[in-house]
Amino acid sequence: MTSVPTARPRRLRLTPGLRALSRETRLSPEQFIFPMFVHEGQGDTEISTMPGVLRHSIASAVDKAREAQSLGIRSVILFGIPDEKDEVGTQAYAEEGVVQRATRAIKAALPEMVVIADTCLCEYTSHGHCGHLHEVSGHWTVDNDPTLDLLAQTAVSQARAGADIIAPSAMMDGQVAAIRAALDAAGFAHIPVMSYAVKYASAYYGPFREAAGSAPSKGDRASYQMDPTGGYREALREARLDAEQGADYLMVKPALAYLDVMRTVRDAFDLPMVAYNVSGEYSLVKAAANLGYMDERRTVLETLTGMVRAGADAIITYHALDAARWLKEA
């Protein structure tokens, strides 16, 4: 005689209401950070490698931020595309730089929107690297310590423009400490730092580099971004150093291929955790959905839920507007 089970997990799965009542991982538009590329021209331009993502004018960025807010999204992160680039990324820390002007415009129109400023130089340098470029033992890399001064200048100019959070992404040793000291000295002790603490030299960044025009003209970023095979010790060390230097948030980038790393960092630190659902992850889903291979809505929401389950408190995602609409429809 077949024994009848007394424990029946399926009881809690029978209806949508029962599934919602017992749900452990919850996804909300408030967890999303909407990334926007802002250029200095008029109108929007399409990004061929990221269907549905645009380079916005400043006016368009304000409109898009307003749309995001209407969907329940409370945060945006800005990436600037300047008209002019040079060896040291001058436009990154110019008072009238494109991110600075976009920040002022968004905050004037939407005071409650949290504006996060990506703090790096790669979009602003003529060589596409994240700071002062020099050659060491036949390899091109970024000269760490002079770059810290430029990142600190950039952070202060972004805070002065009204940015609510400074997000350094250059992966320079000591960047959080340099930025924290500069912000405090300039009267911005209240401005938090969202550190790209665990950032890998990843193939998943390809579409972003086309979008921002930031592909390195020589060498690569493997000498300062993390090796994908580096393991947990390196990730924990990077996160610990940034936490000790005053980071208020820790980020893992990319997210999808590094969910195990995110969980490890989450378990080791009590700071808020941010996942960056990067351009390549976005484009893979878009391409498969456009070919009819996958259900875009289900795939995106499942992917974002997995990031929250791995420990993310917030997610930077190009899917933000679509995902927020889908959640409202659910």
Side-chain angles (χ1 to χ4, degrees):
M1 181 176 179
T2 303
S3 66
V4 176
T6 56
R8 294 182 182 270
R10 289 180 53 191
R11 290 188 186 115
L12 305 183
R13 303 173 192 156
L14 184 61
T15 68
L18 286 171
R19 292 194 293 273
L21 190 63
S22 55
R23 191 169 291 147
E24 180 181 352
T25 304
R26 299 178 185 272
L27 198 61
S28 164
E30 293 183 350
Q31 296 167 292
F32 301 153
I33 300 170
F34 179 48
M36 288 193 288
F37 299 99
V38 187
H39 67 172
E40 298 191 274
Q42 299 299 312
D44 299 339
T45 60
E46 295 182 354
I47 299 167
S48 62
T49 55
M50 299 180 70
V53 178
L54 303 172
R55 298 185 190 90
H56 295 280
S57 67
I58 291 174
S60 172
V62 173
D63 291 341
K64 210 66 177 175
R66 184 177 288 110
E67 180 183 352
Q69 188 178 69
S70 74
L71 292 168
I73 297 167
R74 297 187 173 188
S75 307
V76 298
I77 185 167
L78 302 181
F79 300 92
I81 306 170
D83 284 344
E84 298 180 3
K85 302 186 179 190
D86 58 34
E87 287 290 307
V88 291
T90 303
Q91 287 301 306
Y93 40 91
E95 293 301 315
E96 293 301 315
V98 63
V99 163
Q100 287 80 355
R101 287 186 287 127
T103 298
R104 288 194 288 268
I106 292 171
K107 293 299 292 185
L110 304 166
E112 298 305 313
M113 177 62 74
V114 174
V115 176
I116 305 168
D118 177 75
T119 306
C120 195
L121 303 172
C122 61
E123 299 117 275
Y124 305 90
T125 55
S126 52
H127 46 72
H129 281 278
C130 300
H132 280 279
L133 192 63
H134 71 162
E135 193 172 6
V136 178
S137 302
H139 299 279
W140 290 101
T141 188
V142 173
D143 195 356
N144 194 95
D145 294 359
T147 298
L148 297 180
D149 293 334
L150 300 184
L151 293 172
Q153 289 181 55
T154 302
V156 171
S157 72
Q158 291 169 336
R160 193 175 289 124
D164 298 288
I165 298 175
I166 299 301
S169 59
M171 287 301 286
M172 294 296 108
D173 293 341
Q175 64 181 12
V176 173
I179 287 170
R180 183 73 271 159
L183 289 173
D184 292 355
F188 297 109
H190 61 288
I191 298 293
V193 173
M194 179 182 289
S195 169
Y196 287 65
V198 181
K199 179 179 177 180
Y200 290 90
S202 173
Y204 283 96
Y205 303 152
F208 177 97
R209 291 175 182 172
E210 190 269 334
S214 62
S217 60
K218 49 189 171 184
D220 56 36
R221 298 194 178 107
S223 63
Y224 46 102
Q225 295 179 358
M226 294 167 59
D227 189 322
T229 65
Y232 300 127
R233 289 194 300 270
E234 184 181 26
L236 289 169
R237 185 185 187 202
E238 289 281 5
R240 176 176 53 79
L241 288 169
D242 283 4
E244 290 173 351
Q245 291 170 32
D248 300 283
Y249 301 83
L250 299 174
M251 188 189 303
V252 173
K253 178 186 179 184
L256 194 55
Y258 299 91
L259 295 178
D260 59 326
V261 174
M262 191 181 308
R263 170 47 60 188
T264 298
V265 176
R266 164 78 287 159
D267 290 344
F269 297 92
D270 57 7
L271 293 174
M273 174 68 62
V274 181
Y276 197 146
N277 179 207
V278 299
S279 60
E281 297 166 359
Y282 171 89
S283 295
L284 284 172
V285 173
K286 279 289 184 181
N290 287 340
L291 290 168
Y293 294 165
M294 300 178 75
D295 181 313
E296 182 178 0
R297 172 177 173 157
R298 290 185 61 193
T299 302
V300 169
L301 294 180
E302 184 176 346
T303 298
L304 298 178
T305 299
M307 293 173 188
V308 174
R309 192 172 59 248
D313 299 294
I315 305 171
I316 302 173
T317 177
Y318 301 94
H319 296 291
L321 300 187
D322 287 337
R325 289 190 191 96
W326 294 330
L327 289 171
K328 282 182 175 293
E329 294 168 2

